[in-house]
Amino acid sequence: MATDKIQRTLAMVKPDAINRSAEIEKIILDEGFTIVERRRVRLTRAEAAEFYNEHRGKPFYESLLEYITSGEVLALILAGEEAITHWRRILGPTRVSQARQEAPDSIRARFGDHANDSHNAAHGSDSPTSAQREIKFFFPDLTLEPVLTGEGAKEYLSHAVSPTLVRALTELCKVRPDDPIVWLADWLLVNNPNKSSGD
Ligand code: ATP
Ligand code: MG
């Protein structure tokens, strides 16, 4: 995977879909995202107002606050190539009816409330600036280093994991186990150079 367009975004499973968050998380992983952090929380009205400040004054603002505070939400930091647009693409259009018509496989089509067009199951940041703000909103104590890209990434990987991986893969080819992935995972745990055995 190219490492030069790795982004982070804030995804939120809204109260109407919280009971289906396991299915939504599975889609997220199947789409190739990494879930960096997760937090389940019930927002207060004041918190919801801060989160949706950009919509203050709009006709749907009050019902939006009511909706988003009606139960717990699940906030997720997703990382991946072009994560912001990728996540919004698989969310589908804002309105559930439109999502069902135009993007029947989308998350909002599948998990949104058929009886309420704006109860659309999930949220996604709409720009790098919003992503940064929304990640900070839900995870204020988290300090994320900038994602390494290009030469920096190559250099980091070349000293942090490549030597160990080369040894592991050489062994793997000798042994050719039935389940190479599980074998590799076990080998890495036992031979992790950053941990003495028995930890
Ligand atoms: P989100 O920000 O949740 O990812 P979005 O970016 O597609 O959704 P916004 O315009 O930011 O859409 O609206 C935020 C949320 O407010 C929507 O997801 C929806 O729940 C609600 N909403 C938006 N427009 C309306 C509307 N006209 N009537 C009722 N609710 C609305
Ligand atoms: Mg929005």
Side-chain angles (χ1 to χ4, degrees):
M1 185 171 74
T3 54
D4 53 350
K5 287 177 187 157
I6 300 292
Q7 289 178 325
R8 298 191 190 95
T9 192
L10 191 281
M12 177 172 69
V13 179
K14 298 180 181 181
D16 55 315
I18 192 82
N19 291 335
R20 302 188 69 186
S21 52
E23 287 166 82
I24 296 174
E25 282 193 48
K26 181 172 184 317
I27 296 171
I28 288 170
L29 296 176
D30 288 348
E31 285 283 330
F33 292 102
T34 301
I35 297 177
V36 179
E37 280 289 342
R38 61 157 56 68
R39 187 177 154 217
R40 219 176 132 125
V41 61
R42 184 161 186 169
L43 297 176
T44 65
R45 197 194 138 85
E47 286 165 339
E50 185 189 338
F51 186 80
Y52 277 124
N53 190 38
E54 65 181 298
H55 296 305
R56 191 181 298 267
K58 292 185 185 168
F60 60 85
Y61 180 65
E62 279 304 321
S63 61
L64 174 59
L65 294 193
E66 207 170 295
Y67 163 42
I68 222 67
T69 57
S70 65
E72 286 186 325
V73 299
L74 174 68
L76 301 164
I77 301 176
L78 309 186
E81 214 175 323
E82 304 267 25
I84 294 171
T85 50
H86 181 179
W87 172 238
R88 281 183 70 88
R89 187 174 70 247
I90 64 171
L91 273 181
T94 304
R95 286 161 51 203
V96 178
S97 59
Q98 194 185 348
R100 292 178 72 199
Q101 254 175 9
E102 294 173 9
D105 294 332
S106 67
I107 289 181
R108 284 168 168 170
R110 291 174 59 191
F111 301 98
D113 184 347
H114 296 180
N116 188 327
D117 229 15
S118 52
H119 288 194
N120 55 8
H123 160 87
S125 311
D126 61 10
S127 68
T129 310
S130 316
Q132 201 179 16
R133 181 184 74 79
E134 293 172 2
I135 287 172
K136 186 114 194 106
F137 173 87
F138 278 107
F139 304 94
D141 299 331
L142 191 71
T143 45
L144 288 172
E145 299 296 326
V147 179
L148 277 176
T149 59
E151 278 309 307
K154 272 189 212 153
E155 203 174 294
Y156 171 71
L157 292 173
S158 74
H159 75 256
V161 289
S162 295
T164 308
L165 270 187
V166 168
R167 280 178 57 215
L169 296 175
T170 306
E171 277 306 307
L172 180 73
C173 291
K174 285 187 199 158
V175 178
R176 275 188 285 174
D178 288 340
D179 189 333
I181 302 299
V182 169
W183 186 95
L184 183 62
D186 289 342
W187 191 97
L188 288 171
L189 282 177
V190 173
N191 294 279
N192 179 357
N194 305 318
K195 265 192 181 165
S196 53
S197 55
D199 280 3

